[in-house]
Amino acid sequence: MIRLDSVDLIFNSGLPNEMTALKNINLSVEKNELTLLRGASGSGKSSIFSLIAGLVKPSRGDVIIDGKSIAKIPDSFAALMRRDKLGVIFQKFNLIHDLSVYDNITLPLIPSAKTTSEIRLSAEKILTDLTLTNKINTAVRYLSGGEQQRVAIARALINQPKIILADEPTANLDQALIESFLHIIHDLKAKGITILLASHDPRFSELEWVDQVIDIAHGEIQ
Ligand SMILES: Nc1ncnc2c1ncn2[C@@H]1O[C@H](COP(=O)(O)OP(=O)(O)OP(=O)(O)O)[C@@H](O)[C@H]1O
Ligand SMILES: [Mg+2]
């Protein structure tokens, strides 16, 4: 479902601030697998997510999503691939602060064939799962960190993507919310979704339904 073949990622190539973020990454995630990506801050976890989401291009090697190479496709094609296949929970949330919770999570569905009432139903369902219903019309700028994190989770899940990329999705959640996030992930796995999760949280390493653990240090898989 996801493959990185001999991938290097170099930022600012040829400039004095050149930075090799990833070196010779080979990684394979099969359909319906839950893969945990672990590594210290700065090791390259988010860089791997950016490559898989088509937000950055590899300097060398290939990135293959659902059988198709995305290493050289134009940004507009990468955006379509993200919309059709991926749900991404960004580490920095990437929410639109002036818009309400409802608008933030339903915006990705506007180009879809869904009707407004179908969209509303999907939004209400996911907000109930994440105990956010009472904030549905609140602008994101007024939400706490944990609430914003849950909006980011809701936005990633609402489109029922085949693949979920979750970058430190529990960093701002308390114990009870982490438990409900784990239930959500478990349900998604039961539905056949492929999940790649980056986290420092030792709770994830202990889960018996994690299929693969990848340790990364200084841009290299260990
Ligand atoms: N756009 C960029 N330009 C230059 N350097 C970058 C860029 N993005 C990331 N880096 C560098 O690449 C390295 C890997 O960063 P990355 O964000 O992938 O780490 P991470 O493992 O996700 O860390 P954290 O746990 O803190 O989120 C870091 O040294 C970072 O400073
Ligand atoms: Mg990161």
Side-chain angles (χ1 to χ4, degrees):
M1 199 59 149
I2 303 172
R3 230 176 67 216
L4 268 63
D5 284 341
S6 312
V7 166
D8 290 348
L9 178 63
I10 304 167
F11 290 111
N12 310 315
S13 189
L15 299 172
N17 58 348
E18 181 173 295
M19 156 82 213
T20 300
L22 297 172
K23 266 175 279 180
N24 196 30
I25 300 288
N26 290 290
L27 174 159
S28 177
V29 179
E30 300 302 324
K31 183 172 174 353
N32 198 203
E33 261 185 358
L34 172 58
T35 299
L36 180 61
L37 198 56
R38 298 188 304 196
S41 179
S43 58
K45 302 180 298 299
S46 295
S47 300
I48 289 180
F49 280 71
S50 298
L51 282 165
I52 295 170
L55 294 166
V56 296
K57 304 271 190 284
S59 311
R60 181 180 75 97
D62 206 355
V63 178
I64 296 153
I65 308 296
D66 204 10
K68 288 190 181 144
S69 170
I70 62 158
K72 296 192 173 97
I73 61 172
D75 290 348
S76 56
F77 284 23
L80 288 176
M81 184 279 297
R82 272 196 298 284
R83 192 193 75 193
D84 293 342
K85 297 187 178 159
L86 296 188
V88 189
I89 305 166
F90 293 99
Q91 186 170 17
K92 291 174 186 158
F93 308 154
N94 294 0
L95 300 170
I96 305 169
H97 286 189
D98 288 336
L99 294 185
S100 68
V101 167
Y102 183 80
D103 287 343
N104 264 277
I105 67 170
T106 58
L107 272 181
L109 298 184
I110 287 175
S112 76
K114 286 191 172 181
T115 64
T116 309
S117 54
E118 284 168 340
I119 291 175
R120 179 154 275 276
L121 273 180
S122 313
E124 284 169 356
K125 161 92 178 64
I126 190 77
L127 290 175
T128 306
D129 291 349
L130 291 160
T131 43
L132 264 180
T133 323
N134 60 331
K135 301 286 180 187
I136 189 162
N137 295 314
T138 306
V140 159
R141 68 168 66 257
Y142 300 117
L143 300 184
S144 72
E147 287 164 347
Q148 291 189 25
Q149 184 137 40
R150 282 178 283 150
V151 179
I153 295 169
R155 184 187 52 186
L157 302 185
I158 194 168
N159 215 8
Q160 298 179 304
K162 286 195 214 180
I163 301 171
I164 291 171
L165 306 179
D167 197 355
E168 306 275 1
T170 57
N172 294 279
L173 303 185
D174 62 27
Q175 180 66 38
L177 290 171
I178 291 174
E179 291 297 329
S180 45
F181 178 75
L182 290 177
H183 279 121
I184 291 171
I185 291 292
H186 193 231
D187 286 352
L188 291 167
K189 184 159 160 57
K191 286 182 187 152
I193 309 295
T194 307
I195 305 161
L196 185 56
L197 205 150
S199 182
H200 299 287
D201 194 329
R203 250 172 299 226
F204 288 110
S205 309
E206 290 158 11
L207 295 173
E208 58 202 36
W209 36 278
V210 170
D211 299 297
Q212 179 178 210
V213 178
I214 296 174
D215 285 308
I216 176 165
H218 309 293
E220 290 184 271
I221 288 177
Q222 302 302 292

